[in-house]
Amino acid sequence: MRITLLCVSVLMCTGVFAQEHFSGINTSRRVGLLNASLNPAELVNLSKTCEVNILNFSANVSNNKITFGDLVSGSDDFESKLFSGNEPVNLRADIDIMGPAFGIKINKWAFAITSAAKVKANIVDVDVNLGNAVTSSNVNPLIGTSIINTNYNQRAAATTWGEISLSAARELYNDNVNKLSAGVTFNLLFPGSFANMSADRFRGNIVTVNGDSSLTDTQANLNFAYSGSLANDFTDTGNYSEFFAGGLNGFSTDIGVNYQWLDPTDSKQYKINAGLSVKNLGSMTFKDNNNSSNNYRLNIPEGEYLDLDQFQNVTNIEEIEDILVNSGFLTTLSSNRDFKVQMPALLAAYADVRLYRRWYVTGYLQQELKKDDANDQIAQQNLYTITPRYSASFFEAYVPLSVSDIAGFTAGLGFRLGGFFIGSGSILSAGVSDTQQADFYMGFRFGI
C-alpha cells in the first residue's frame, strides 16, 4: 500500500525542502509582510510606508529517515528507506506560497491584506514493521513473525487550503527608546483537499511466509477520512494543487506583540527587536461532495489472516477502506460526511539583537500547541534557530542554524538584494554531512 506517497508526492513535485519557512529572512531587519506573517505586530515596523508582495515560495520537509543524499541521488526507493531501522517514521512536508499582498502604515496604525496557498503532508509515528509489510513485500523476509504493540496513533495525512488574511497593528507606546506594538490577523480559510489514514493502539502479529505477509491476532482503531481531489488519487501530484476548491469554510486568528529597544542616536535603528505571537488558532470544515470520515474497530482473530499483498498497488484511500471493509474484520464505530480539521496552532518567539553596526544575531523558537496524533489535527513541529546576519539597507546575508525535533541540526545560507531574496535552511549542513533534510525558498517584494 503506497501510504508514503501521500507525503512523497509532495516531495517529488517540489524537489527541494526545509524545516522552517523562510528561515532567516522572516526575522530580517528589512521588515516586510513576511515578518508580519510571523507576527502581525511587526506591521507597524514596515521599512517603507507601503509594502507590496509579488510572490514568495517556500517548500520544506523534515524527517528522521531519508537523507539529503537520498534526495539528490535520484533514487525512487523512498518506501524502503522510510521504513528502515527500528524508530517509528516521522515526516513533515510543507509548501507555503504567499501570493499578492499589500501593507500600509498610517501614523501609529498599520494594515495588510495577504493571500496564501498551503500544503501540509505528514507521516506521524508509523511503525516500521507495519510500514514495510504493506508497502514493500519484495524486501520482506521469506519466513518470519513481527509483533507490533503500540500505544499511540499512527497517521499518514495531507491537507491543502488557501488563505486570505486581514491584519491590523498599532503602536501602543513609544518614548524614542522603548517601543511597544500589538497586532492581530484574521485568516479566512478555504479548504482544498484532505486525506487521513490512521491506526490507533495497533496490536498484532505480521506473519511472513515465502515473502508474503499477513496480519493475524490483531486489534486497532482505524480512521479513514478524505475530501476533494486527494480522495481520488494520492499519488498524483496535481491533486495537491487544490487550494480554494471548498469555498470559505473556516477561520483562524494570529495574535502578536512586539518590543523594540531603539537606538537613541538613530530612531530608525534598534538594539533589540523582540516578538511573541500565537498563530493558527482555529479550524476549517471540509464539505466536498465526496466527503467521508469513518471510524472502525479492526479485529483479526488468532488463526485468521488478512493478506497484506492486496494493498500493494492501491492509489487512493477509498480502495484501501473497501479492501478492509470487504475482509469482514472491521466493525463501524462512527461515520460522518462533513468534518472539521484543526489548524496547526503554534507559539513563536524571537529576538533580533544588534551586535555592532550592521551585524546582528537572531534567536527564534517555535513550539506546537497541540499534539499531532489526533486524526483531525494538522501536524506541526518544534524547532529552535540561531541566525547570525550582516544586514545593510540593500544587501543582507545570513546563516540560519536550526535544531528540530525530527531532523536534528541543520545549517543554511540566505541572501537579500533589495526586495529579492533567496535561501536555504540546510544547504551548508548538506554540504558537510548526509543531513536528513534539504530546502529552498525565494521571493520578491518592494516598498514604496
Side-chain angles (χ1 to χ4, degrees):
M1 178 171 59
R2 300 188 179 277
I3 294 176
T4 55
L5 289 178
L6 190 62
C7 300
V8 172
S9 294
V10 177
L11 312 187
M12 296 300 292
C13 71
T14 59
V16 286
F17 320 99
Q19 64 176 343
E20 175 191 350
H21 287 301
F22 308 109
S23 179
I25 195 65
N26 59 359
T27 52
S28 169
R29 184 174 68 90
R30 193 275 186 201
V31 177
L33 293 174
L34 272 180
N35 303 67
S37 70
L38 180 64
N39 182 352
E42 287 280 7
L43 275 175
V44 298
N45 301 326
L46 289 177
S47 297
K48 301 290 185 179
T49 301
C50 297
E51 174 85 359
V52 179
N53 186 78
I54 304 301
L55 181 68
N56 300 329
F57 172 84
S58 174
N60 59 53
V61 69
S62 288
N63 79 101
N64 62 342
K65 299 290 182 175
I66 298 175
T67 67
F68 177 79
D70 297 329
L71 292 172
V72 300
S73 67
S75 171
D76 60 358
D77 191 20
F78 286 105
E79 291 174 353
S80 61
K81 293 181 183 297
L82 275 177
F83 298 118
S84 62
N86 297 313
E87 184 182 3
V89 179
N90 279 282
L91 182 148
R92 307 288 185 271
D94 301 78
I95 297 173
D96 195 338
I97 304 170
M98 186 175 180
F102 177 77
I104 185 171
K105 291 191 300 183
I106 305 174
N107 297 322
K108 293 185 177 182
W109 285 89
F111 305 92
I113 179 169
T114 61
S115 61
K118 299 176 183 289
V119 176
K120 281 186 175 290
N122 309 281
I123 295 177
V124 180
D125 291 332
V126 172
D127 183 89
V128 293
N129 294 310
L130 180 60
N132 257 325
V134 298
T135 62
S136 307
S137 63
N138 58 311
V139 298
N140 291 337
L142 291 178
I143 298 175
T145 300
S146 297
I147 300 174
I148 301 175
N149 189 351
T150 61
N151 59 359
Y152 52 81
N153 192 24
Q154 306 176 55
R155 299 179 61 205
T159 315
T160 70
W161 75 96
E163 293 183 1
I164 295 178
S165 303
L166 306 173
S167 303
R170 193 182 193 283
E171 181 183 295
L172 302 177
Y173 178 81
N174 190 341
D175 62 6
N176 296 322
V177 176
N178 302 284
K179 178 181 175 182
L180 181 65
S181 307
V184 62
T185 295
F186 301 102
N187 302 301
L188 306 178
L189 305 178
F190 298 79
S193 57
F194 178 80
N196 182 79
M197 296 178 286
S198 71
D200 187 24
R201 289 170 173 77
F202 187 99
R203 294 174 174 84
N205 298 329
I206 301 174
V207 178
T208 303
V209 179
N210 295 326
D212 297 325
S213 296
S214 299
L215 277 177
T216 187
D217 191 17
T218 300
Q219 297 81 41
N221 294 319
L222 307 182
N223 173 264
F224 296 95
Y226 48 84
S227 177
S229 58
L230 285 176
N232 302 323
D233 189 336
F234 53 69
T235 67
D236 183 353
T237 57
N239 288 336
Y240 291 84
S241 63
E242 297 288 340
F243 300 116
F244 291 85
L248 177 58
N249 267 308
F251 178 82
S252 69
T253 305
D254 305 338
I255 303 171
V257 293
N258 174 259
Y259 168 77
Q260 288 189 345
W261 179 18
L262 302 173
D263 187 340
T265 64
D266 186 350
S267 60
K268 294 184 179 181
Q269 296 281 355
Y270 58 74
K271 294 183 178 180
I272 295 178
N273 180 46
L276 179 70
S277 64
V278 180
K279 294 174 54 61
N280 302 323
L281 299 176
S283 62
M284 55 186 168
T285 301
F286 286 85
K287 295 183 176 182
D288 198 272
N289 291 332
N290 66 346
N291 261 37
S292 179
S293 178
N294 298 314
N295 293 301
Y296 300 99
R297 178 63 180 174
L298 173 67
N299 183 28
I300 307 174
E302 185 176 4
E304 297 186 35
Y305 298 88
L306 173 66
D307 182 8
L308 297 179
D309 290 343
Q310 58 190 315
F311 296 105
Q312 289 296 314
N313 297 314
V314 301
T315 60
N316 65 66
I317 293 180
E318 192 171 6
E319 289 182 49
I320 299 168
E321 187 176 16
D322 287 344
I323 291 172
L324 288 169
V325 169
N326 293 332
S327 72
F329 296 127
L330 290 188
T331 301
T332 302
L333 300 179
S334 63
S335 181
N336 297 290
R337 182 170 179 82
D338 297 340
F339 53 87
K340 185 178 293 185
V341 174
Q342 302 297 318
M343 298 299 290
L346 63 88
L347 173 72
Y350 60 90
D352 187 36
V353 180
R354 187 183 184 191
L355 300 177
Y356 177 72
R357 291 187 177 180
R358 296 174 176 175
W359 294 94
Y360 296 77
V361 63
T362 307
Y364 173 75
L365 176 149
Q366 176 177 299
Q367 175 68 46
E368 63 179 350
L369 297 179
K370 297 180 179 180
K371 293 184 178 180
D372 294 336
D373 58 352
N375 291 319
D376 63 350
Q377 179 65 52
I378 300 176
Q380 189 57 268
Q381 69 168 320
N382 304 321
L383 60 90
Y384 311 90
T385 304
I386 298 294
T387 307
R389 73 179 76 241
Y390 174 84
S391 182
S393 59
F394 185 77
F395 173 77
E396 184 171 354
Y398 49 91
V399 179
L401 309 170
S402 301
V403 176
S404 74
D405 56 2
I406 294 178
F409 174 77
T410 56
L413 181 65
F415 300 95
R416 175 181 62 83
L417 293 173
F420 173 78
F421 62 88
I422 187 170
S424 165
S426 61
I427 191 171
L428 293 182
S429 54
V432 298
S433 65
D434 208 2
T435 182
Q436 289 171 324
Q437 83 176 40
D439 81 283
F440 173 81
Y441 61 81
M442 64 183 299
F444 179 72
R445 66 271 173 89
F446 64 90
I448 303 173

